[in-house]
Every structure is written in structure tokens, then in C-alpha cells.
């Protein structure tokens, strides 16, 4: 074993796939790239996520208390990174990155048609927003694109490095 810088611990523990988070406020949709999120509960699905107060989406998420988490496949990786490298304050990301917003059923935030899954969410807990930017979301409707079979997701490992989903293995589970 050797020492590892504490500033790089997140690279070891980076949670699930890189996702897109959409918001809509005052008739203007925005999309941001997000990799800091985790499941908190199964049903209803509760998802904790970090949205910094420096992100343009923060104000909309806090004000409207709703969003969509869109899950892109690896084919969108370059677009996903580019979305994360600019601000919705300056550009209409749906237009610039040629993303197709689709009307959601329960929230004003749009689905992203190019993503293989979308989860409409409502904010259910904001107690840690001021301190950490941590929102707890409840998934209220989930969508998948059946045309995208066996999609592979990307996982951020820091400093422009990403892992792509690999081989699947199945092990016996005794969980209900």
C-alpha cells in the first residue's frame, strides 16, 4: 500500500453513471452533466444528488423542486462532457448540443429523447442543500427507450477519464 491524496478519493468512490439533469424555470429548459448522485431507497426511488450553487441549474431546481435525470449511453459521451463544460447561463444547451426535449408527464422539466432512460423527479428533502448542495429526489415516473438495447454507461474517474460499463456477471441474490 502507498499513500493516496485525499483530494483524489472521489476518483475511487465515484458512484453511478454520469447522467444529465434537466430543469425548467420560467419556460426555459436547461441541462447539466452530473456524476455525484446515489440511490437512497428502492421504492419509491429516492436519489440523492449534488448540485452546486455555482451551477445554473441550482436556482431552477431549488425554485421549482423538480427535474429529470436522463441517463445517456456511451455514444453520447463527448456531448455529455461538452454539456458539463459550459453554462446554461450562456447557451441554450438543448439547441447547441442538438438534444431533443420531450414533454414529461409529471414535471415541467423535459426528458432527453437521446437518452436510454429518463426519471422524472420531485425534490423531497432540502435539509442539506445550503451546506452541501445535496438534494434528495423522489422518482415519480420512469421511462426507457426500448430501441436502445443493452446500453453502456460512462463513469467519471476524474480529470477527463471515464470508465465504460463492462462485462455483466450474475450472482445469486437472496434479497427480495
Amino acid at each position: 500500500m502507498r499513500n493516496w491524496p485525499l483530494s483524489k478519493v472521489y476518483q475511487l468512490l465515484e458512484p453511478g453513471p454520469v447522467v444529465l439533469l434537466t430543469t425548467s424555470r420560467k419556460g426555459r429548459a436547461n441541462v447539466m452533466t452530473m456524476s455525484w448522485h446515489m440511490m437512497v431507497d428502492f421504492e419509491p426511488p429516492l436519489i440523492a444528488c449534488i448540485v452546486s450553487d455555482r451551477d445554473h441549474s441550482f436556482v431552477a431546481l431549488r425554485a421549482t423542486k423538480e427535474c429529470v435525470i436522463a441517463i445517456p449511453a456511451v455514444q453520447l459521451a463527448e456531448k455529455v462532457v461538452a454539456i458539463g463544460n459550459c453554462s446554461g447561463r450562456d447557451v441554450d444547451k438543448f439547441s447547441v448540443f442538438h438534444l431533443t426535449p420531450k414533454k414529461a408527464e409529471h414535471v415541467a422539466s423535459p426528458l432527453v429523447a437521446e437518452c436510454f432512460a429518463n426519471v422524472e423527479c420531485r425534490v423531497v428533502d432540502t435539509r442539506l442543500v445550503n451546506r452541501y448542495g445535496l438534494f434528495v429526489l423522489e422518482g415519480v415516473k420512469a421511462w426507457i427507450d426500448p430501441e436502445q438495447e443493452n446500453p453502456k454507461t460512462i463513469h467519471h474517474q476524474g480529470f477527463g477519464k471515464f470508465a465504460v460499463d463492462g462485462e455483466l456477471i450474475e450472482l445469486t441474490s437472496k434479497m427480495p
Side-chain angles (χ1 to χ4, degrees):
M1 295 290 212
R2 67 176 175 93
N3 287 327
W4 187 253
L6 290 176
S7 64
K8 293 184 177 185
V9 167
Y10 81 94
Q11 296 173 3
L12 303 172
L13 297 174
E14 195 68 55
V18 176
V19 300
L20 297 174
L21 181 132
T22 73
T23 54
S24 182
R25 183 168 184 239
K26 297 181 180 179
R28 185 160 184 253
N30 188 45
V31 58
M32 67 171 273
T33 301
M34 180 173 70
S35 60
W36 288 15
H37 56 82
M38 69 175 191
M39 292 301 302
V40 176
D41 206 349
F42 293 101
E43 201 170 338
L46 295 180
I47 305 147
C49 68
I50 303 292
V51 178
S52 169
D53 61 4
R54 295 180 305 270
D55 291 321
H56 182 61
S57 297
F58 178 88
V59 172
L61 183 58
R62 185 176 224 172
T64 65
K65 295 189 170 23
E66 60 183 37
C67 64
V68 168
I69 294 177
I71 307 169
V74 67
Q75 291 81 356
L76 291 175
E78 288 185 19
K79 226 178 244 201
V80 168
V81 171
I83 289 166
N85 284 329
C86 67
S87 173
R89 284 182 198 91
D90 307 320
V91 297
D92 175 347
K93 293 185 190 184
F94 278 94
S95 176
V96 168
F97 297 106
H98 308 288
L99 295 175
T100 310
K102 291 188 74 168
K103 185 167 176 43
E105 192 172 303
H106 298 288
V107 300
S109 305
L111 309 176
V112 179
E114 291 78 9
C115 290
F116 72 86
N118 285 265
V119 182
E120 298 179 36
C121 298
R122 289 212 172 90
V123 176
V124 294
D125 192 333
T126 59
R127 288 177 286 180
L128 296 175
V129 168
N130 289 338
R131 187 166 186 173
Y132 299 109
L134 190 145
F135 292 83
V136 178
L137 312 173
E138 179 180 332
V140 296
K141 178 76 178 180
W143 305 89
I144 61 161
D145 178 355
E147 299 295 315
Q148 295 191 48
E149 294 182 29
N150 304 312
K152 301 283 188 191
T153 55
I154 59 171
H155 301 260
H156 186 240
Q157 295 186 330
F159 304 102
K161 293 182 182 171
F162 296 83
V164 177
D165 279 345
E167 177 185 354
L168 292 177
I169 62 171
E170 289 189 38
L171 304 171
T172 303
S173 172
K174 296 191 188 240
M175 298 299 291

